[in-house]
Amino acid sequence: MADRTAFRWKRPSVIPGFGVTFGFSMAYLSLIVLIPLAALLIRSASLGWADYWKLAFDPRTLAALRISFGSSFIAALVNGVFGLILAWVLVRYRFPGKRLIDSMIDLPFALPTAVAGIALSTLYAPKGWIGSLFAPFGIKIAYTPSGIVVALIFIGLPFVVRTVQPVLADLDRELEEAAATLGANRWQTILRVVLPPLIPAILTGFALALARAIGEYGSVIFIAGNIPFVSEIAPLLIVIRLEEFSYSAATAIASLMLAISFAMLLAINLIQVWSRRRFGYAG
Amino acid sequence: MRLQLRALTGLATIALTIAAAAPVFAQNRLLNVSYDPTRELYRAYNDAFTKYWKEKTGKTIAIQQSHGGSGAQARAVIDGLEADVVTLALEADIDAIAQNSGKIPADWRGRLPHNSSPYTSTIVFLVRKGNPKGIKDWDDLVKDGVEVITPNPKTSGGARWNVLAAWAWALHKYNGDEGKVRDYVAALFKHVPVLDTGARGSTTTFVQRKIGDVLLAWENEAFLALDELGVGEFDIVVPSISIKAEPPVALVDKNAEKHRTTEVARAYLEYLYSDVGQQIAAKNYYRPSKPEAVSPEAIKRFPSLKLATIDDLGGWKIVQPKFFGDGGIFDQLYKPK
């Protein structure tokens, strides 16, 4: 990490061009990210507190936010666990078709999310291939909040795999062998030796999957059922408000989502920084 | 304030579309912005109109179509989609364009015959073959164990007609007792397991995913499902009362002036009322506004039923905010008790 004794605006570098690249970065970032977000904030700031409060904390908005953030969180957790397993399999073992599976991991990035949503709802509908296996037990997946989680798991899958993979590949096998010769059993090796250095990467993947899931619209609306208070996600509610030509209500919800997301990502980042320091692996 | 946002979103849109080569409309192009279930209709109609225009003026015209939820399409036009003509599901959507953008004069409704609706439709029930749940009329929809599929009235023009059709029937049934009418419509939506965002989505849910016992559908969508999507799998049930849905069309004056397409755009809309236009509408399962232009066999398949009109309910200017505005009847029905 940066040396804490002398924090300076710019650290000397052998390569020139800081001014140009920094200027370009700021201009680019402003155009693509900062200005649109500022427009959103200005718009919601112009509402006034009383109106903002009324629009943002209306029970239906709160229900939609709860569904959006709750299902995104569950989906990111699932991706954290299974993404780790997938990464493990892909890095540590050799088997026929490995390359193919490895490239398949990225498909959720490439597929239009609406296509994913339609495909998933076909499969998970009570009469669909997968849904019909669950239907006899009274488990409904499509058109319930579980359907939302399924869609969000799908679109978030690559993040954990792709962030954990390189770290896992770099991991020194000798450490594990040393642990074994020192008498650690398999579980101890995994929990004490393998897992700690992976935690920052898993957290990064988790944060990315979470962020992606929160804003997801296309794949979810096909499988969610979209029933207010039950399976209506916040992005859909924003679209509904826009459909009512109610730009102010839409921006109020959007800014609230932005604030919550920002707080969550900040928290994850802090945990990450802490875990890096705690487990002291390649910062 | 609104202007400010529009300027900002406008800037963002411009920035984003420059890369995608912002379409420069020449005189020989026409953009028709329409709603979801008219895809097939306008595909056929555009061919016919292109041919007619070529014969009449010697000019070749290329017509582009854009489809989506009616409300979303209206918003796109307000935010700058350069439609020469709009052919939407609801008068209220065109009113919104007129009010929010000023690109259409407020009196647009009177500029073409039949309230600017060259074809009409209505709401019917599509049920599974043999009608296993024995659905005959609106009150059968709230029986135990019946699942009803309709899109979300907040995002779909067709769904608003569904709500109004149910409302019109209940008004008649309960002699105008609004409390009972509300209870009925609230009960109806308790039987809805999925709210798709558009009419086509609901058709897919019902036809392909096999969810639900009855689909509240545009008559033309119901016929389409019957004849093309699942031959022999469905029956149409015609309720005792439904609503006369009048999807309107309008010239977007300011855009057409800018593209210098006013003449052809106007002709495009007027030709919808010609014999050829009416026949194409009927062939695509829309009820022609001039039945005499169409062969008797084509008319025969449209069953006659009692149709309430939007004016019976007070007209769109009252109905839109009362039913579908923020905090309107539809929102109230979905409030948890």
Side-chain angles (χ1 to χ4, degrees):
Chain A
M1 291 232 109
D3 70 329
R4 255 165 263 154
T5 46
F7 179 82
R8 263 175 296 174
W9 169 241
K10 175 191 158 192
R11 288 212 267 157
S13 161
V14 263
I15 304 165
F18 173 78
V20 176
T21 49
F22 183 76
F24 174 77
S25 305
M26 284 318 287
Y28 189 78
L29 199 64
S30 304
L31 203 62
I32 300 293
V33 179
L34 299 180
I35 292 177
L37 290 187
L40 185 68
L41 292 180
I42 290 167
R43 174 70 194 162
S44 48
S46 71
L47 270 173
W49 263 114
D51 283 345
Y52 184 83
W53 199 262
K54 194 169 143 275
L55 289 169
F57 293 92
D58 142 83
R60 189 158 159 205
T61 307
L62 292 179
L65 288 171
R66 210 160 37 234
I67 292 158
S68 262
F69 283 93
S71 44
S72 299
F73 194 76
I74 296 170
L77 276 181
V78 172
N79 275 324
V81 174
F82 290 93
L84 178 64
I85 296 175
L86 273 171
W88 181 267
V89 168
L90 288 170
V91 170
R92 284 297 168 95
Y93 302 102
R94 264 194 233 155
F95 51 91
K98 181 176 160 177
R99 286 271 173 81
L100 194 70
I101 292 183
D102 194 42
S103 53
M104 261 161 45
I105 302 279
D106 285 329
L107 279 183
F109 279 156
L111 203 64
T113 53
V115 174
I118 290 171
L120 288 172
S121 49
T122 310
L123 289 175
Y124 285 91
K127 299 266 163 70
W129 284 3
I130 302 176
S132 61
L133 302 178
F134 289 92
F137 306 103
I139 302 171
K140 279 176 72 183
I141 298 174
Y143 313 117
T144 66
S146 334
I148 304 178
V149 175
V150 170
L152 296 181
I153 291 173
F154 177 85
I155 53 121
L157 173 74
F159 290 101
V160 177
V161 181
R162 290 300 182 231
T163 47
V164 172
Q165 239 175 346
V167 184
L168 198 56
D170 280 351
L171 212 60
D172 211 341
R173 278 197 184 211
E174 283 167 18
L175 281 175
E176 287 163 55
E177 285 159 14
T181 48
L182 292 172
N185 64 27
R186 294 276 169 90
W187 268 115
Q188 283 173 323
T189 314
I190 289 179
L191 290 178
R192 298 275 176 89
V193 179
V194 179
L195 216 48
L198 292 178
I199 283 178
I202 297 173
L203 278 174
T204 308
F206 175 84
L208 290 171
L210 181 71
R212 169 79 199 269
I214 288 165
E216 179 56 21
Y217 176 77
S219 61
V220 175
I221 56 161
F222 290 100
I223 200 172
N226 306 326
I227 306 288
F229 296 102
V230 178
S231 55
E232 186 177 65
I233 54 165
L236 175 64
L237 194 58
I238 293 177
V239 171
I240 286 174
R241 293 300 181 224
L242 289 173
E243 220 89 310
E244 292 164 354
F245 306 105
S246 169
Y247 290 91
S248 43
T251 38
I253 305 171
S255 64
L256 204 60
M257 284 186 80
L258 199 65
I260 301 174
S261 305
F262 184 73
M264 281 171 69
L265 293 178
L266 192 71
I268 293 170
N269 256 316
L270 291 176
I271 297 173
Q272 223 177 328
V273 168
W274 172 82
S275 71
R276 269 201 187 132
R277 221 172 279 152
R278 166 83 174 68
F279 302 117
Y281 185 78
Chain B
M1 245 179 270
R2 173 159 283 185
L3 209 81
Q4 200 180 36
L5 175 82
R6 196 156 311 130
L8 283 167
T9 45
L11 268 175
T13 321
I14 289 166
L16 287 172
T17 43
I18 281 172
V24 180
F25 288 96
Q27 273 165 293
N28 56 357
R29 283 245 178 111
L30 209 58
L31 175 60
N32 175 8
V33 170
S34 193
Y35 64 108
D36 256 335
T38 55
R39 274 190 189 83
E40 293 78 9
L41 166 65
Y42 279 104
R43 204 176 297 142
Y45 176 72
N46 289 346
D47 288 345
F49 179 77
T50 322
K51 209 180 290 162
Y52 158 79
W53 195 246
K54 177 92 183 164
E55 273 164 23
K56 194 179 169 212
T57 64
K59 284 181 200 148
T60 309
I61 181 102
I63 301 160
Q64 296 178 310
Q65 288 171 257
S66 160
H67 294 273
S70 189
Q73 294 291 75
R75 209 184 52 251
V77 174
I78 293 170
D79 288 342
L81 179 65
E82 306 234 335
D84 299 278
V85 297
V86 285
T87 53
L88 295 177
L90 302 172
E91 187 186 333
D93 286 330
I94 299 185
D95 279 339
I97 300 174
Q99 268 167 30
N100 292 301
S101 75
K103 287 178 178 165
I104 299 174
D107 64 347
W108 62 272
R109 198 102 227 247
R111 294 194 297 181
L112 285 164
H114 300 288
N115 290 330
S116 287
S117 297
Y119 40 80
T120 66
S121 193
T122 187
I123 301 301
V124 295
F125 304 161
L126 192 70
V127 297
R128 312 244 171 241
K129 188 76 194 167
N131 197 359
K133 299 266 165 113
I135 289 154
K136 301 237 155 44
D137 208 348
W138 291 97
D139 40 4
D140 297 321
L141 302 185
V142 294
K143 279 190 195 155
D144 284 349
V146 174
E147 282 192 325
V148 182
I149 304 296
T150 168
N152 188 342
K154 290 289 195 164
T155 51
S156 155
R160 291 185 204 174
W161 290 114
N162 291 348
V163 173
L164 297 176
W167 190 271
W169 171 84
L171 266 183
H172 188 262
K173 159 106 180 180
Y174 300 112
N175 293 320
D177 181 338
E178 197 170 312
K180 282 187 177 152
V181 176
R182 274 171 189 260
D183 289 347
Y184 168 75
V185 177
L188 177 64
F189 273 89
K190 291 241 157 58
H191 287 254
V192 177
V194 184
L195 281 175
D196 283 291
T197 49
R200 210 21 89 74
S202 277
T203 308
T204 313
T205 299
F206 184 75
V207 171
Q208 255 129 33
R209 312 241 195 291
K210 306 192 167 35
I211 307 278
D213 303 300
V214 50
L215 172 73
L216 302 185
W218 289 100
E219 187 176 45
N220 57 296
E221 282 280 289
F223 273 119
L224 195 73
L226 209 58
D227 290 2
E228 281 160 41
L229 296 174
V231 180
E233 285 182 48
F234 307 101
D235 288 328
I236 288 180
V237 170
V238 180
S240 63
I241 295 180
S242 191
I243 192 136
K244 185 181 185 190
E246 298 174 289
V249 300
L251 174 73
V252 187
D253 297 49
K254 292 273 161 60
N255 287 345
E257 274 163 34
K258 196 165 113 197
H259 309 143
R260 288 176 295 160
T261 50
T262 309
E263 186 200 2
V264 58
R266 197 171 279 153
Y268 180 80
L269 295 180
E270 280 162 3
Y271 195 62
L272 282 167
Y273 293 88
S274 72
D275 287 4
V276 177
Q278 291 289 296
Q279 282 155 14
I280 291 172
K283 206 164 164 238
N284 285 278
Y285 317 107
Y286 285 90
R287 296 181 177 222
S289 62
K290 279 170 37 193
E292 65 277 10
V294 180
S295 72
E297 300 92 81
I299 290 294
K300 245 197 303 197
R301 67 176 170 197
F302 299 112
S304 56
L305 71 162
K306 211 169 151 194
L307 292 176
T309 66
I310 189 70
D311 293 329
D312 298 340
L313 298 170
W316 274 110
K317 292 221 162 47
I318 290 172
V319 166
Q320 175 63 32
K322 179 180 166 190
F323 282 83
F324 309 113
D326 190 17
I329 287 172
F330 186 73
D331 281 345
Q332 294 161 22
L333 297 181
Y334 255 119
K335 277 251 155 70
K337 302 249 160 74

